Amino acid sequence: MSNLLESIIRPEILALSAYHIPSAEGMIKLDAMENPYTLPLILREEISQLAEEAHINRYPDPSAAPLKAILRDTLAIPSEMAIMLGNGSDEIIQVIALATARPGAVLMGVDPGFAMFRIIATFCGMNYVGVPLAADFSIDLEAMLAAISQHQPAVIFLAYPNNPSGNLFDPQAICRIIEATPGIVVVDEAYQAFADATFMDMLTQYPNLLLMRTLSKLGLAGLRLGLLVGRPEWLAQLEKLRLPYNVGIMTQLVVERILQHYDILLEQAAAIKAERAILRARLATMKGVEVFPSDANFVLFRLNEASRIFQELQQHRILIKNLDGSHPLLKNCLRVTVGASDENTLFCKTLRHILEKPL
Ligand code: PMP
């Protein structure tokens, strides 16, 4: 069997470790940047009604035109730009990689950065080049420009704010990168709702810029909807690789309905930002804890023996993300998603308890 596997499955896939998603059963789940709040009852009732009425025996509308129209209005997408939808933005990353993966093509990112950029590049047969960030997680522009000139990437992905560090990069550095690269730059604004910045207005200025968003962090992670915004010429090519029915009928209908109440999602995002400030302030008062700035719905922090602390938190049924060992810049770093007020309080109380208890 193993010989057969090795002769059939590509070596880069055999070498790849699968993206690990730990079980969160019975845990306080602060590991995956989800929005902790539910929707108001009245809206949940409207959603149940949609489920009753939907023609689930039919394929969904492959163009999702009504959904795109409301997304355009809600997210202020410029009229001259096209929209492509994905089953989450992960799928959009894959479509872009498939479209650009000629032999030897390079997909570039920054390290530490979002793990899926590297994983998708690898399984699409591209070479991934991750350019190290500076120690404060800002872009090392000189290193980036040198890497661009050396590797001539087909595509560069930059998360703005970045995951797992949580910071926004200097927009001028991003502009220099867009101007210097021979290929396209995708600015991934997955966490835009928690930051006060966007590259949406830059789309008209740069012919090689694409912008990606997702509704996952805003409270709709389970519905799986990501979007890519860019010039119609680019998106017409990428659309050829999008599977025709990638966004299901329930996702289309439910998102359309929820976006009619977008203010609710924005209020929840504002509450998360307020909780983020409290969480950062509490972490900063803990002895030996270094808290990094965040423009996202999560907070990165460093402390001694991070892996042991992570495990002890798990024993207390609190699940966050251990980044220790994943990159030299992330030594002893943990990442916690901003949860609801009681979850954050319990997390801080438990962490303080672990830190203060004698070994
Ligand atoms: N981009 C970034 C930077 C992310 O952190 C994530 C989720 N962790 C995604 C994209 C993917 O989000 P989704 O597939 O849920 O839209």
Side-chain angles (χ1 to χ4, degrees), residues 171-245:
Q172 280 177 4
I174 298 183
C175 289
R176 289 278 306 281
I177 290 166
I178 299 170
E179 286 157 13
T181 188
I184 47 177
V185 174
V186 182
V187 173
D188 173 359
E189 295 192 339
Y191 300 97
Q192 195 278 332
F194 313 100
D196 296 314
T198 174
F199 267 72
M200 191 71 88
D201 305 336
M202 297 294 203
L203 283 167
T204 42
Q205 196 172 321
Y206 291 116
N208 59 336
L209 172 64
L210 298 171
L211 188 131
M212 197 165 70
R213 292 270 181 95
T214 176
L215 299 185
S216 295
K217 321 298 170 182
L218 260 173
L220 309 183
L223 290 173
R224 309 299 297 129
L225 190 76
L227 56 150
L228 185 71
V229 182
R231 293 183 187 231
E233 309 88 270
W234 283 118
L235 268 59
Q237 299 306 320
L238 297 173
E239 281 283 353
K240 297 176 187 170
L241 287 151
R242 183 181 66 80
L243 299 176
Y245 304 115

Side-chain angles (χ1 to χ4, degrees), residues 244-264:
Y245 304 115
N246 64 330
V247 180
I249 189 166
M250 288 317 303
T251 297
Q252 295 194 27
L253 292 175
V254 175
V255 174
E256 273 170 46
R257 183 59 57 97
I258 294 174
L259 289 181
Q260 287 165 11
H261 304 275
Y262 191 55
D263 50 321
I264 296 174

Side-chain angles (χ1 to χ4, degrees), residues 67-90:
L67 174 55
K68 283 187 189 169
I70 190 161
L71 281 165
R72 187 180 289 285
D73 273 4
T74 316
L75 304 179
I77 296 174
S79 56
E80 60 274 45
M81 296 298 151
I83 302 171
M84 184 180 82
L85 301 181
N87 191 292
S89 46
D90 283 344

Side-chain angles (χ1 to χ4, degrees), residues 268-285:
Q268 293 185 344
I272 290 168
K273 281 163 79 173
E275 284 296 330
R276 175 181 73 197
I278 300 170
L279 177 60
R280 289 193 67 248
R282 282 188 188 150
L283 282 168
T285 63

Side-chain angles (χ1 to χ4, degrees), residues 69-139:
I70 190 161
L71 281 165
R72 187 180 289 285
D73 273 4
T74 316
L75 304 179
I77 296 174
S79 56
E80 60 274 45
M81 296 298 151
I83 302 171
M84 184 180 82
L85 301 181
N87 191 292
S89 46
D90 283 344
E91 191 184 48
I92 294 176
I93 304 168
Q94 180 177 301
V95 165
I96 296 170
L98 285 171
T100 54
R102 62 179 89 210
V106 166
L107 187 152
M108 187 173 280
V110 293
D111 271 350
F114 180 39
M116 288 310 290
F117 299 149
R118 180 183 51 78
I119 294 172
I120 292 174
T122 307
F123 68 58
C124 289
M126 300 183 85
N127 297 331
Y128 177 77
V129 174
V131 181
L133 293 173
D136 64 355
F137 301 114
S138 62
I139 283 195

